[in-house]
Amino acid sequence: MSTTPDTPVTAPIADPVGIPPGVTTARAAGLVACRRCGRVNAGRAVRCQRCHGPIRSRDTQSLQKVWAWLIAGLIAYIPANVYPMLITASLFQYDEQTIVGGVIELIHYGNYGIAGIVFAASVMIPVGKFIAIAYLAISVQRGRPANAHRRHKLYDVVEFIGRWSMIDVFVVAILSALVQLKAVATINPGIAALSFALSVIFTMLSAMAFDPRLIWDAEGPTAHE
Amino acid sequence: MKHRPASATFFVDRRPLIGIMPLPPLEDLIACPHCDTLHIDAPVPPGSIARCKRCGVVLFAPRKQALTQLLSLSIAGVILLVAAISFPFIDIDAMGFENQTSVLNAVTAFSEGRGVPLAVAVALFIIVLPMVRLLALIYAIGPLVTGHRPRRGAHVAFAMTEQLRPWAMAEIFMVGVSVALVKIVGLATVTIGPAFWAFVVLVIITLFNDRVMSRLSIWKALEREGAV
Ligand SMILES: [Zn+2]
Ligand SMILES: [Zn+2]
């Protein structure tokens, strides 16, 4: 194995511009890598030797799935904002609260920190995620080689943060379980709770369908071999 | 200054690969799951981190006794999850009307009419999937720790723990619970039950488990020990 230069990865990871000299990919070497376990398989392999999972050099349908789930997520996000998330009924009043309404109420009572958390989870993260995934998909479709590192970082963030949008759904779940005080007050989930949960699930599936290797393919000559 | 941990995973130079020199045997290579870059899979000393040369993703982060820790924490996690389901979670009292809630209640509270799909989803996210994940992990790595041959289907079980990771949302649930408590704290007296604390510990264990787990190393160990 002296065919490879023993360069430990103690040096800074890659230059800011382009790929580090001398890097090759499994695809460029005519091999198929497994995204689940990292095993490198022979070029014709369809199952991974190590983890027995299905493998493909690139998921050619990746972008179609990404767009399909993303659009589903967007569609579900509309009723999630229009219809009430929480329905509160008490002796004296009947109140329907939307996502944004809930945030405004928290601000009204001076809970700025909590209002910030809910706003971030229910509005900023979902909207940011729609934009980020669309941007990643479009940049890959156009074969943009520029700033792969930044796009890869963005992909990491989207993957990590998407599930946190579910906070408000759990808030509704807990509130409607707790506040069932027959005569005094009851809280029940509105239609928005379900559509919002679906929207989060669909966008998570969209992000998962994205094959991050596509970001790097456009970058170097390794992509065209 | 940014700390760059030392490592012993080398990247593969592309020049020797193009026709001139033979490839190393495939089992001596590892490909980055994020960017497909080939590396030589050299041993990484415990405590150090091997990152992808190109995109910087962590490939290996071995620790001493990592598997043993992972196994014992997972077993603790199963016990805590059972406790979290069985004991009272939160108790509220408003003008003499009391309502005690367990996690199961929280799930089944709106299990009528249009609440059903939501109830199913919440049950999956906070109870079923976390439990399946823990049990599958114990099944897959248990024999590795005790030095036995992996059980039949160990790779299916481990693949499942990996795939379910984003869908097990105990930690997100706990943030949701905190927000809910802030919302009702002015309206009612709230008492926190033992299940609440069981859930808190479970969340800490889950976060720690996911940090300790070096998934590529576990896959290698399963292959080495002859998982079928
Ligand atoms: Zn594999
Ligand atoms: Zn990489």
Side-chain angles (χ1 to χ4, degrees), chain A residues 58-105:
Chain A
R58 292 295 177 274
D59 186 349
T60 46
Q61 261 135 42
S62 168
L63 291 178
Q64 283 173 18
K65 286 183 263 176
V66 169
W67 282 117
W69 287 122
L70 188 66
I71 290 165
L74 259 173
I75 292 172
Y77 192 62
I78 296 166
N81 279 283
V82 175
Y83 289 104
M85 192 85 175
L86 270 184
I87 300 166
T88 315
S90 70
L91 284 179
F92 316 106
Q93 57 177 356
Y94 177 85
D95 186 31
E96 296 187 332
Q97 207 172 63
T98 57
I99 291 178
V100 176
V103 175
I104 292 171
E105 192 199 66

Short mmCIF file of all heavy atoms in Angstrom, two decimals, chain A residues 58-105:
data_model
loop_
_atom_site.label_atom_id
_atom_site.label_comp_id
_atom_site.label_asym_id
_atom_site.label_seq_id
_atom_site.Cartn_x
_atom_site.Cartn_y
_atom_site.Cartn_z
N ARG A 58 -24.72 7.23 -7.82
CA ARG A 58 -25.46 8.45 -7.49
C ARG A 58 -26.94 8.13 -7.56
O ARG A 58 -27.35 7.33 -8.40
CB ARG A 58 -25.17 9.58 -8.49
CG ARG A 58 -23.79 10.14 -8.48
CD ARG A 58 -23.48 10.83 -7.16
NE ARG A 58 -22.09 11.30 -7.16
CZ ARG A 58 -21.06 10.56 -6.81
NH1 ARG A 58 -21.23 9.33 -6.38
NH2 ARG A 58 -19.84 11.06 -6.85
N ASP A 59 -27.69 8.75 -6.69
CA ASP A 59 -29.13 8.57 -6.76
C ASP A 59 -29.67 9.50 -7.84
O ASP A 59 -29.85 10.69 -7.64
CB ASP A 59 -29.75 8.90 -5.40
CG ASP A 59 -31.24 8.59 -5.36
OD1 ASP A 59 -31.80 8.33 -6.44
OD2 ASP A 59 -31.82 8.63 -4.28
N THR A 60 -29.92 8.92 -9.03
CA THR A 60 -30.30 9.77 -10.16
C THR A 60 -31.69 10.38 -9.99
O THR A 60 -32.02 11.37 -10.61
CB THR A 60 -30.28 8.96 -11.47
OG1 THR A 60 -30.93 7.71 -11.22
CG2 THR A 60 -28.87 8.69 -11.92
N GLN A 61 -32.50 9.72 -9.13
CA GLN A 61 -33.84 10.26 -8.91
C GLN A 61 -33.88 11.22 -7.73
O GLN A 61 -34.94 11.72 -7.37
CB GLN A 61 -34.83 9.14 -8.69
CG GLN A 61 -35.61 8.81 -9.94
CD GLN A 61 -35.71 7.33 -10.16
OE1 GLN A 61 -35.93 6.58 -9.22
NE2 GLN A 61 -35.53 6.90 -11.39
N SER A 62 -32.72 11.42 -7.13
CA SER A 62 -32.65 12.24 -5.92
C SER A 62 -33.41 13.55 -6.06
O SER A 62 -34.29 13.85 -5.25
CB SER A 62 -31.18 12.51 -5.59
OG SER A 62 -31.06 13.50 -4.62
N LEU A 63 -33.11 14.31 -7.11
CA LEU A 63 -33.69 15.65 -7.21
C LEU A 63 -35.20 15.62 -7.43
O LEU A 63 -35.92 16.46 -6.90
CB LEU A 63 -32.99 16.44 -8.31
CG LEU A 63 -31.55 16.79 -7.97
CD1 LEU A 63 -30.89 17.52 -9.12
CD2 LEU A 63 -31.46 17.61 -6.70
N GLN A 64 -35.67 14.62 -8.19
CA GLN A 64 -37.12 14.50 -8.37
C GLN A 64 -37.83 14.31 -7.04
O GLN A 64 -38.83 14.94 -6.74
CB GLN A 64 -37.45 13.30 -9.25
CG GLN A 64 -37.19 13.55 -10.72
CD GLN A 64 -37.35 12.28 -11.52
OE1 GLN A 64 -37.96 11.33 -11.07
NE2 GLN A 64 -36.81 12.27 -12.71
N LYS A 65 -37.26 13.40 -6.23
CA LYS A 65 -37.86 13.14 -4.91
C LYS A 65 -37.78 14.39 -4.05
O LYS A 65 -38.74 14.74 -3.35
CB LYS A 65 -37.14 11.97 -4.23
CG LYS A 65 -37.50 10.62 -4.83
CD LYS A 65 -36.84 9.48 -4.08
CE LYS A 65 -35.57 9.04 -4.77
NZ LYS A 65 -34.81 8.00 -4.06
N VAL A 66 -36.64 15.07 -4.10
CA VAL A 66 -36.48 16.29 -3.31
C VAL A 66 -37.58 17.29 -3.65
O VAL A 66 -38.26 17.81 -2.77
CB VAL A 66 -35.10 16.94 -3.56
CG1 VAL A 66 -35.03 18.33 -2.97
CG2 VAL A 66 -33.99 16.07 -2.97
N TRP A 67 -37.79 17.52 -4.95
CA TRP A 67 -38.80 18.50 -5.36
C TRP A 67 -40.21 18.05 -4.97
O TRP A 67 -41.02 18.85 -4.51
CB TRP A 67 -38.73 18.75 -6.87
CG TRP A 67 -37.62 19.65 -7.27
CD1 TRP A 67 -36.55 19.34 -8.06
CD2 TRP A 67 -37.44 21.04 -6.91
NE1 TRP A 67 -35.73 20.42 -8.21
CE2 TRP A 67 -36.24 21.48 -7.52
CE3 TRP A 67 -38.16 21.94 -6.12
CZ2 TRP A 67 -35.76 22.78 -7.38
CZ3 TRP A 67 -37.68 23.22 -5.97
CH2 TRP A 67 -36.49 23.63 -6.59
N ALA A 68 -40.49 16.75 -5.18
CA ALA A 68 -41.84 16.27 -4.87
C ALA A 68 -42.18 16.47 -3.40
O ALA A 68 -43.22 17.03 -3.05
CB ALA A 68 -41.95 14.79 -5.25
N TRP A 69 -41.27 16.06 -2.52
CA TRP A 69 -41.53 16.22 -1.08
C TRP A 69 -41.56 17.69 -0.68
O TRP A 69 -42.33 18.10 0.18
CB TRP A 69 -40.48 15.48 -0.25
CG TRP A 69 -40.60 13.99 -0.25
CD1 TRP A 69 -39.66 13.09 -0.64
CD2 TRP A 69 -41.71 13.20 0.18
NE1 TRP A 69 -40.12 11.82 -0.49
CE2 TRP A 69 -41.38 11.85 0.02
CE3 TRP A 69 -42.98 13.52 0.69
CZ2 TRP A 69 -42.25 10.81 0.34
CZ3 TRP A 69 -43.85 12.49 1.01
CH2 TRP A 69 -43.49 11.15 0.83
N LEU A 70 -40.71 18.46 -1.31
CA LEU A 70 -40.65 19.88 -0.95
C LEU A 70 -41.96 20.58 -1.30
O LEU A 70 -42.50 21.37 -0.51
CB LEU A 70 -39.48 20.56 -1.68
CG LEU A 70 -39.20 22.00 -1.25
CD1 LEU A 70 -38.71 22.04 0.18
CD2 LEU A 70 -38.16 22.65 -2.15
N ILE A 71 -42.50 20.26 -2.47
CA ILE A 71 -43.76 20.88 -2.87
C ILE A 71 -44.89 20.42 -1.94
O ILE A 71 -45.71 21.22 -1.50
CB ILE A 71 -44.07 20.55 -4.35
CG1 ILE A 71 -43.06 21.31 -5.23
CG2 ILE A 71 -45.49 20.91 -4.72
CD1 ILE A 71 -42.98 20.83 -6.66
N ALA A 72 -44.88 19.12 -1.61
CA ALA A 72 -45.88 18.63 -0.65
C ALA A 72 -45.78 19.38 0.67
O ALA A 72 -46.79 19.78 1.27
CB ALA A 72 -45.69 17.13 -0.44
N GLY A 73 -44.55 19.60 1.12
CA GLY A 73 -44.33 20.32 2.38
C GLY A 73 -44.83 21.74 2.31
O GLY A 73 -45.44 22.25 3.26
N LEU A 74 -44.59 22.39 1.18
CA LEU A 74 -45.04 23.77 0.99
C LEU A 74 -46.55 23.86 1.02
O LEU A 74 -47.13 24.73 1.67
CB LEU A 74 -44.54 24.28 -0.36
CG LEU A 74 -43.31 25.18 -0.36
CD1 LEU A 74 -42.86 25.44 -1.78
CD2 LEU A 74 -43.64 26.50 0.33
N ILE A 75 -47.18 22.91 0.32
CA ILE A 75 -48.65 22.92 0.26
C ILE A 75 -49.24 22.73 1.66
O ILE A 75 -50.15 23.45 2.06
CB ILE A 75 -49.15 21.81 -0.71
CG1 ILE A 75 -48.75 22.19 -2.13
CG2 ILE A 75 -50.65 21.63 -0.59
CD1 ILE A 75 -49.00 21.10 -3.14
N ALA A 76 -48.66 21.79 2.41
CA ALA A 76 -49.19 21.54 3.76
C ALA A 76 -48.93 22.72 4.69
O ALA A 76 -49.62 22.90 5.70
CB ALA A 76 -48.57 20.28 4.33
N TYR A 77 -47.94 23.53 4.36
CA TYR A 77 -47.58 24.66 5.24
C TYR A 77 -48.61 25.79 5.15
O TYR A 77 -48.74 26.58 6.08
CB TYR A 77 -46.18 25.18 4.87
CG TYR A 77 -45.61 26.14 5.88
CD1 TYR A 77 -45.36 25.73 7.19
CD2 TYR A 77 -45.31 27.45 5.55
CE1 TYR A 77 -44.84 26.59 8.13
CE2 TYR A 77 -44.78 28.33 6.48
CZ TYR A 77 -44.56 27.89 7.78
OH TYR A 77 -44.05 28.75 8.70
N ILE A 78 -49.36 25.84 4.05
CA ILE A 78 -50.34 26.93 3.89
C ILE A 78 -51.50 26.78 4.89
O ILE A 78 -51.71 27.68 5.71
CB ILE A 78 -50.85 26.99 2.43
CG1 ILE A 78 -49.66 27.34 1.52
CG2 ILE A 78 -51.96 28.03 2.29
CD1 ILE A 78 -49.92 27.12 0.05
N PRO A 79 -52.23 25.64 4.88
CA PRO A 79 -53.29 25.52 5.90
C PRO A 79 -52.74 25.59 7.32
O PRO A 79 -53.44 26.04 8.24
CB PRO A 79 -53.90 24.14 5.62
CG PRO A 79 -52.94 23.43 4.75
CD PRO A 79 -52.19 24.47 3.99
N ALA A 80 -51.49 25.17 7.50
CA ALA A 80 -50.89 25.20 8.84
C ALA A 80 -50.85 26.62 9.39
O ALA A 80 -50.89 26.84 10.60
CB ALA A 80 -49.49 24.61 8.81
N ASN A 81 -50.79 27.61 8.48
CA ASN A 81 -50.73 28.99 8.94
C ASN A 81 -52.07 29.69 8.94
O ASN A 81 -52.27 30.67 9.65
CB ASN A 81 -49.75 29.79 8.09
CG ASN A 81 -48.33 29.55 8.53
OD1 ASN A 81 -47.89 30.08 9.53
ND2 ASN A 81 -47.61 28.68 7.80
N VAL A 82 -52.98 29.18 8.10
CA VAL A 82 -54.28 29.84 7.97
C VAL A 82 -55.24 29.38 9.07
O VAL A 82 -55.92 30.18 9.70
CB VAL A 82 -54.88 29.54 6.58
CG1 VAL A 82 -56.28 30.12 6.48
CG2 VAL A 82 -53.97 30.11 5.50
N TYR A 83 -55.27 28.06 9.32
CA TYR A 83 -56.23 27.51 10.27
C TYR A 83 -55.69 27.54 11.70
O TYR A 83 -54.50 27.69 11.91
CB TYR A 83 -56.59 26.08 9.85
CG TYR A 83 -57.42 26.05 8.60
CD1 TYR A 83 -56.84 25.70 7.38
CD2 TYR A 83 -58.76 26.40 8.63
CE1 TYR A 83 -57.59 25.69 6.21
CE2 TYR A 83 -59.52 26.39 7.46
CZ TYR A 83 -58.93 26.04 6.27
OH TYR A 83 -59.68 26.04 5.13
N PRO A 84 -56.59 27.39 12.67
CA PRO A 84 -56.13 27.44 14.06
C PRO A 84 -55.32 26.20 14.45
O PRO A 84 -55.58 25.10 13.98
CB PRO A 84 -57.43 27.51 14.87
CG PRO A 84 -58.47 26.96 13.97
CD PRO A 84 -58.06 27.30 12.57
N MET A 85 -54.35 26.46 15.29
CA MET A 85 -53.48 25.41 15.83
C MET A 85 -54.11 24.90 17.14
O MET A 85 -54.10 23.71 17.41
CB MET A 85 -52.12 26.06 16.10
CG MET A 85 -51.01 25.13 16.40
SD MET A 85 -50.26 24.54 14.86
CE MET A 85 -48.89 23.60 15.50
N LEU A 86 -54.62 25.83 17.91
CA LEU A 86 -55.18 25.52 19.23
C LEU A 86 -56.58 26.09 19.35
O LEU A 86 -56.84 27.21 18.92
CB LEU A 86 -54.35 26.24 20.30
CG LEU A 86 -53.15 25.55 20.93
CD1 LEU A 86 -52.59 26.45 22.00
CD2 LEU A 86 -53.54 24.22 21.51
N ILE A 87 -57.47 25.30 19.92
CA ILE A 87 -58.82 25.79 20.17
C ILE A 87 -59.05 25.74 21.68
O ILE A 87 -59.06 24.67 22.28
CB ILE A 87 -59.86 24.93 19.43
CG1 ILE A 87 -59.58 24.99 17.93
CG2 ILE A 87 -61.27 25.41 19.76
CD1 ILE A 87 -60.32 23.95 17.13
N THR A 88 -59.19 26.91 22.27
CA THR A 88 -59.37 26.98 23.72
C THR A 88 -60.83 27.32 24.03
O THR A 88 -61.37 28.29 23.48
CB THR A 88 -58.50 28.10 24.32
OG1 THR A 88 -57.21 28.01 23.73
CG2 THR A 88 -58.38 27.96 25.81
N ALA A 89 -61.43 26.53 24.89
CA ALA A 89 -62.80 26.83 25.28
C ALA A 89 -62.87 26.88 26.80
O ALA A 89 -62.39 25.97 27.47
CB ALA A 89 -63.75 25.77 24.75
N SER A 90 -63.41 27.97 27.32
CA SER A 90 -63.60 28.03 28.76
C SER A 90 -65.00 28.56 29.04
O SER A 90 -65.77 28.81 28.12
CB SER A 90 -62.53 28.93 29.40
OG SER A 90 -62.78 30.27 29.05
N LEU A 91 -65.29 28.75 30.30
CA LEU A 91 -66.62 29.24 30.68
C LEU A 91 -66.95 30.54 29.98
O LEU A 91 -68.08 30.79 29.59
CB LEU A 91 -66.67 29.45 32.20
CG LEU A 91 -66.80 28.20 33.05
CD1 LEU A 91 -66.81 28.60 34.52
CD2 LEU A 91 -68.07 27.45 32.70
N PHE A 92 -65.94 31.38 29.85
CA PHE A 92 -66.21 32.75 29.41
C PHE A 92 -65.86 33.01 27.96
O PHE A 92 -66.28 34.00 27.39
CB PHE A 92 -65.46 33.73 30.31
CG PHE A 92 -65.57 33.37 31.76
CD1 PHE A 92 -64.49 32.82 32.44
CD2 PHE A 92 -66.78 33.53 32.43
CE1 PHE A 92 -64.60 32.48 33.78
CE2 PHE A 92 -66.90 33.18 33.76
CZ PHE A 92 -65.80 32.64 34.44
N GLN A 93 -65.03 32.18 27.41
CA GLN A 93 -64.64 32.51 26.05
C GLN A 93 -64.29 31.29 25.21
O GLN A 93 -64.00 30.21 25.72
CB GLN A 93 -63.46 33.47 26.06
CG GLN A 93 -62.27 32.92 26.82
CD GLN A 93 -61.09 33.85 26.75
OE1 GLN A 93 -61.14 34.86 26.08
NE2 GLN A 93 -60.03 33.51 27.45
N TYR A 94 -64.35 31.52 23.92
CA TYR A 94 -63.96 30.50 22.95
C TYR A 94 -62.91 31.16 22.07
O TYR A 94 -63.11 32.26 21.55
CB TYR A 94 -65.18 30.09 22.11
CG TYR A 94 -64.85 29.09 21.02
CD1 TYR A 94 -64.81 27.73 21.30
CD2 TYR A 94 -64.58 29.53 19.73
CE1 TYR A 94 -64.52 26.82 20.30
CE2 TYR A 94 -64.27 28.61 18.74
CZ TYR A 94 -64.25 27.26 19.03
OH TYR A 94 -63.95 26.36 18.05
N ASP A 95 -61.78 30.50 21.92
CA ASP A 95 -60.67 31.19 21.27
C ASP A 95 -59.94 30.24 20.33
O ASP A 95 -59.63 29.10 20.69
CB ASP A 95 -59.71 31.69 22.37
CG ASP A 95 -58.60 32.53 21.79
OD1 ASP A 95 -58.84 33.20 20.77
OD2 ASP A 95 -57.49 32.51 22.35
N GLU A 96 -59.71 30.69 19.12
CA GLU A 96 -58.92 29.91 18.18
C GLU A 96 -57.61 30.64 17.93
O GLU A 96 -57.61 31.84 17.69
CB GLU A 96 -59.67 29.73 16.86
CG GLU A 96 -60.95 28.94 17.00
CD GLU A 96 -61.58 28.65 15.65
OE1 GLU A 96 -61.38 29.44 14.70
OE2 GLU A 96 -62.29 27.65 15.54
N GLN A 97 -56.54 29.88 17.97
CA GLN A 97 -55.23 30.51 17.86
C GLN A 97 -54.42 29.90 16.73
O GLN A 97 -54.28 28.68 16.66
CB GLN A 97 -54.50 30.28 19.18
CG GLN A 97 -53.47 31.32 19.51
CD GLN A 97 -52.95 31.09 20.91
OE1 GLN A 97 -52.34 30.07 21.20
NE2 GLN A 97 -53.20 32.04 21.79
N THR A 98 -53.90 30.76 15.86
CA THR A 98 -53.03 30.25 14.80
C THR A 98 -51.59 30.20 15.33
O THR A 98 -51.32 30.59 16.46
CB THR A 98 -53.05 31.18 13.58
OG1 THR A 98 -52.66 32.47 13.99
CG2 THR A 98 -54.42 31.22 12.93
N ILE A 99 -50.68 29.71 14.48
CA ILE A 99 -49.27 29.64 14.90
C ILE A 99 -48.76 31.02 15.28
O ILE A 99 -48.24 31.22 16.38
CB ILE A 99 -48.41 29.05 13.75
CG1 ILE A 99 -48.75 27.57 13.55
CG2 ILE A 99 -46.93 29.22 14.06
CD1 ILE A 99 -48.00 26.91 12.42
N VAL A 100 -48.96 31.96 14.37
CA VAL A 100 -48.45 33.31 14.63
C VAL A 100 -49.21 33.94 15.80
O VAL A 100 -48.62 34.63 16.64
CB VAL A 100 -48.57 34.17 13.36
CG1 VAL A 100 -48.15 35.61 13.64
CG2 VAL A 100 -47.70 33.58 12.25
N GLY A 101 -50.52 33.64 15.89
CA GLY A 101 -51.31 34.14 17.01
C GLY A 101 -50.74 33.69 18.35
O GLY A 101 -50.69 34.46 19.31
N GLY A 102 -50.29 32.45 18.39
CA GLY A 102 -49.69 31.91 19.61
C GLY A 102 -48.44 32.66 20.00
O GLY A 102 -48.19 32.94 21.18
N VAL A 103 -47.64 32.99 18.99
CA VAL A 103 -46.40 33.74 19.24
C VAL A 103 -46.73 35.13 19.78
O VAL A 103 -46.14 35.60 20.76
CB VAL A 103 -45.56 33.85 17.95
CG1 VAL A 103 -44.35 34.73 18.18
CG2 VAL A 103 -45.13 32.47 17.47
N ILE A 104 -47.72 35.76 19.15
CA ILE A 104 -48.09 37.12 19.58
C ILE A 104 -48.60 37.11 21.02
O ILE A 104 -48.26 37.98 21.81
CB ILE A 104 -49.17 37.70 18.61
CG1 ILE A 104 -48.54 37.92 17.24
CG2 ILE A 104 -49.77 38.99 19.16
CD1 ILE A 104 -49.52 38.27 16.15
N GLU A 105 -49.36 36.08 21.35
CA GLU A 105 -49.85 36.00 22.73
C GLU A 105 -48.71 35.87 23.73
O GLU A 105 -48.72 36.51 24.78
CB GLU A 105 -50.80 34.82 22.87
CG GLU A 105 -51.57 34.88 24.18
CD GLU A 105 -52.15 33.54 24.57
OE1 GLU A 105 -51.37 32.62 24.86
OE2 GLU A 105 -53.37 33.41 24.58
#
